[in-house]
Amino acid sequence: MTTPESLTFRSDVTVELVKSSASDADVLFAARVSTAGEQSLDELKKDPERSKGLINYLMRDRHGSPFEHNSMTFFISAPIFVFREFMRHRVGWSYNEESGRYRELEPVFYVPDTARKLVQQGRPGKYVFVEGTPEQHSAVKGTLETSYEQSYAAYQQLLAEGVAREVARSVLPVGLYSSMYATCNARSLMHFLGLRTQHELAKVPSFPQREIEMVGEKMEAEWAKLMPLTYAAYNANGRVAP
């Protein structure tokens, strides 16, 4: 049986870019096929910097399909409640998550750190989060850790009784960490970022839960390195997905 000392508590998320085929040139050859036909493949050999105006035009006027001809696969480790929000994004995304039916789930749980704002003020649709008091942070930490210890002990007890993993996992909370591969293209990622991150350049305000925003920020940093001109155009045009 796992003892309380062997549980792991985290306040971070993991995002790794494990595979990609994505560049600004991918946008250009896809956009120019309408006028250049097969000669648009020549764009792959050219310096995209020469055509950044075209990328900006496509972004500004929301000609979105050229931004779909690329691919990025991320490995993500985060609390289960983050994934349940994440998988609301369906168009242009593919997911494969670890399964509690086929493996014994590891005792890794989410406990927010003191930077996490705890108190919601205002009515639904018009609210803000503000800092919690030291007493509130202490209560959250203590209560979560105690709950996690009890639920994981119950999970292991059921497994010891011979109960199937797919049934025993029912006692585990959404603060448990899971992992998945998520594959997207630049257009679907831009839509995700527009909803799941806050940014000073965004024309449309967003109100994401902080934990999924942490994932989005890490994905955005990786994408920015792969497609710098597309990323710049996205920011210059209010961070609205084309």
Side-chain angles (χ1 to χ4, degrees):
M1 299 291 288
T2 299
T3 63
E5 292 74 22
S6 62
L7 272 64
T8 298
F9 302 118
R10 294 177 56 183
S11 60
D12 64 331
V13 297
T14 298
V15 176
E16 298 178 20
L17 180 67
V18 297
K19 184 175 65 173
S20 67
S21 175
S23 71
D24 293 315
D26 296 329
V27 179
L28 298 172
F29 88 82
R32 287 196 165 123
V33 70
S34 59
T35 56
E38 65 182 25
Q39 294 179 359
S40 66
L41 289 172
D42 294 340
E43 296 297 328
L44 295 173
K45 304 172 186 176
K46 295 180 180 178
D47 179 9
E49 184 72 30
R50 296 170 52 195
S51 298
K52 65 180 179 181
L54 174 57
I55 292 176
N56 190 72
Y57 159 75
L58 296 170
M59 190 77 69
R60 183 194 69 211
D61 287 12
R62 305 195 71 183
H63 297 291
S65 57
F67 297 99
E68 297 176 4
H69 296 270
N70 55 83
S71 178
M72 293 164 279
T73 298
F74 297 91
F75 174 79
I76 302 169
S77 176
I80 287 174
F81 67 80
V82 170
F83 288 175
R84 297 304 159 261
E85 281 199 320
F86 208 122
M87 291 175 182
R88 296 180 63 139
H89 297 266
R90 300 181 296 278
V91 178
W93 288 89
S94 298
Y95 304 106
N96 281 95
E97 185 181 355
E98 69 174 283
S99 174
R101 297 184 67 193
Y102 304 120
R103 61 167 298 185
E104 182 175 339
L105 298 171
E106 296 295 320
V108 183
F109 297 94
Y110 176 73
V111 176
D113 62 22
T114 55
R116 205 324 181 167
K117 296 179 179 179
L118 294 183
V119 180
Q120 180 178 324
Q121 294 181 343
R123 57 181 173 81
K126 192 176 183 181
Y127 58 83
V128 295
F129 281 88
V130 299
E131 305 291 342
T133 65
E135 293 76 17
Q136 287 172 323
H137 280 285
S138 179
V140 167
K141 182 177 185 296
T143 301
L144 286 179
E145 290 182 359
T146 298
S147 176
Y148 292 152
E149 291 166 4
Q150 293 173 347
S151 64
Y152 199 78
Y155 172 64
Q156 289 215 307
Q157 181 62 45
L158 290 175
L159 294 179
E161 294 286 346
V163 176
R165 287 184 289 267
E166 65 183 51
V167 177
R169 65 177 174 172
S170 301
V171 302
L172 295 172
V174 293
L176 181 78
Y177 273 71
S178 186
S179 61
M180 72 172 179
Y181 290 105
T183 298
C184 63
N185 58 56
R187 189 183 192 185
S188 54
L189 180 59
M190 284 186 276
H191 180 70
F192 175 87
L193 295 175
L195 289 173
R196 301 300 182 180
T197 62
Q198 291 184 318
H199 198 283
E200 61 182 4
L201 297 176
K203 288 182 180 178
V204 180
S206 180
F207 306 94
Q209 184 164 342
R210 177 53 190 155
E211 288 77 11
I212 197 170
E213 184 177 37
M214 290 160 58
V215 173
E217 289 169 349
K218 290 178 179 290
M219 297 175 74
E220 180 173 342
E222 295 293 343
W223 170 55
K225 292 182 284 188
L226 294 172
M227 303 178 72
L229 300 183
T230 301
Y231 180 64
Y234 176 61
N235 282 317
N237 289 278
R239 293 175 67 88
V240 175

